[in-house]
Amino acid sequence: TPIPMSLAGTRTAIFGGSAGMGKATARAILSVGGSVTLISRTLAKLEAAKTELGGGDQIEVVALNALDVAAVE
């Protein structure tokens, strides 16, 4: 039984958000009213995930290699 809750007004950054557990986490957060920033290395995969998750202003995508220190700064 799901626990009723709301994440309205919150934004969660999800590394690896274009697939697998990251995308599943995004789906769960969106289902309770939260917003997400999906972070991954490949913009095309991020855009596909955004479309699959329903698009909209509550989903932001950022293409970034988190292991590249210069890119993160």
Side-chain angles (χ1 to χ4, degrees), residues 10-33:
T10 67
R11 177 166 294 273
T12 304
I14 302 173
F15 287 84
S18 65
M21 291 299 296
K23 188 164 54 174
T25 300
R27 184 175 285 114
I29 291 168
L30 292 165
S31 75
V32 291

Side-chain angles (χ1 to χ4, degrees), residues 28-41:
I29 291 168
L30 292 165
S31 75
V32 291
S35 296
V36 295
T37 299
L38 304 178
I39 304 164
S40 188
R41 292 178 288 190

Side-chain angles (χ1 to χ4, degrees), residues 16-19 23 38-53 61-63:
S18 65
K23 188 164 54 174
L38 304 178
I39 304 164
S40 188
R41 292 178 288 190
T42 309
L43 184 58
K45 289 181 180 180
L46 286 164
E47 293 292 349
K50 180 178 179 175
T51 299
E52 182 182 329
L53 292 169
V61 298
V62 176

